[in-house]
C-alpha cells in the first residue's frame, strides 16, 4: 500500500505559469503536481497535492494529516514569513516537514529571509524551482528507509 504524503502550497501559487515568470518560471502548479505524483509513486508514496489561498484551510489539512501521512512537503508561500499559526499546526501534526521555495528567498527582499517554518523543518530547499519538490519527496523516501 502506498504511504500518503502531503504536499501543500500556500497563497498565489495557483497563479504559477503567469505569475512573475522571471522569479518563478513558466511551469504551472498542475505541472508541479504531476511531477510530485510521478516522483511519489516511484517511491511508493500516494501524493496528496493541495493549494489554497485561505490560511485556515491549510491549517485544517495539516491537522487532518496527523497520524495518517508519512510527512509534509510545504511551500507556504508568503505565509512562510508571517504565520506562527502554520508553524504551530505543523508541530502539532508530529510529522516530519520539508520546506520548499521555488525561488532563492535569501537573495530576495529582506522580509523573505525569515521563515517561521525553517526552525521546525527537517530540511529547507530554496531556489531549485520545481526540482525542490522532487528532491523533498525523494529525501522523504530515504528518511523513512533509514
Ligand atoms: C515562495 C517565496 C515566498 O517569499 C513568496 O511569498 C511566494 C513563493 C517561493 O516558492 O519561492 O509566494 O514561497
Amino acid at each position: 500500500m502506498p504511504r500518503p504524503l502531503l504536499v501543500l502550497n500556500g497563497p498565489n501559487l495557483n497563479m504559477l505559469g503567469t505569475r512573475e515568470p522571471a522569479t518563478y518560471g513558466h511551469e504551472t502548479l498542475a505541472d508541479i503536481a504531476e511531477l510530485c505524483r510521478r516522483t511519489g509513486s516511484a517511491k511508493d508514496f500516494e501524493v496528496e497535492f493541495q493549494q489554497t489561498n485561505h490560511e485556515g484551510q491549510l491549517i485544517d489539512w495539516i491537522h487532518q494529516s496527523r497520524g495518517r501521512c508519512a510527512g509534509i512537503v510545504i511551500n507556504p508561500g508568503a505565509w512562510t514569513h508571517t504565520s506562527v499559526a502554520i508553524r504551530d499546526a505543523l508541530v502539532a501534526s508530529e510529522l516530519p516537514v520539508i520546506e520548499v521555495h521555488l525561488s532563492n528567498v535569501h537573495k530576495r527582499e529582506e522580509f523573505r529571509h525569515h521563515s517561521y517554518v525553517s526552525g521546525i523543518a527537517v530540511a529547507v530547499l530554496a531556489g531549485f524551482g520545481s526540482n525542490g519538490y522532487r528532491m523533498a519527496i525523494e529525501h522523504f523516501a530515504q528518511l523513512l528507509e533509514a
Side-chain angles (χ1 to χ4, degrees), residues 9-71:
N9 295 277
N12 302 308
L13 292 166
N14 57 309
M15 302 293 286
L16 285 178
T18 52
R19 175 192 180 199
E20 301 177 66
T23 303
Y24 298 116
H26 291 279
E27 274 177 299
T28 65
L29 194 67
D31 294 332
I32 296 177
E34 168 58 23
L35 169 70
C36 289
R37 293 209 176 90
R38 218 177 38 241
T39 307
S41 67
K43 298 288 178 190
D44 202 30
F45 288 123
E46 178 73 44
V47 166
E48 297 177 10
F49 192 93
Q50 303 278 21
Q51 186 276 332
T52 182
N53 296 320
H54 304 276
E55 190 173 353
Q57 173 66 83
L58 196 85
I59 290 169
D60 286 343
W61 284 331
I62 294 169
H63 292 171
Q64 288 155 16
S65 68
R66 189 172 192 258
R68 197 178 61 77
C69 292

Side-chain angles (χ1 to χ4, degrees), residues 11 19 24 75 77-78 81 101-103 105 108 112:
R19 175 192 180 199
Y24 298 116
N75 181 348
H81 321 297
H101 300 285
L102 294 159
S103 65
V105 283
R108 299 182 63 196
R112 296 186 203 275

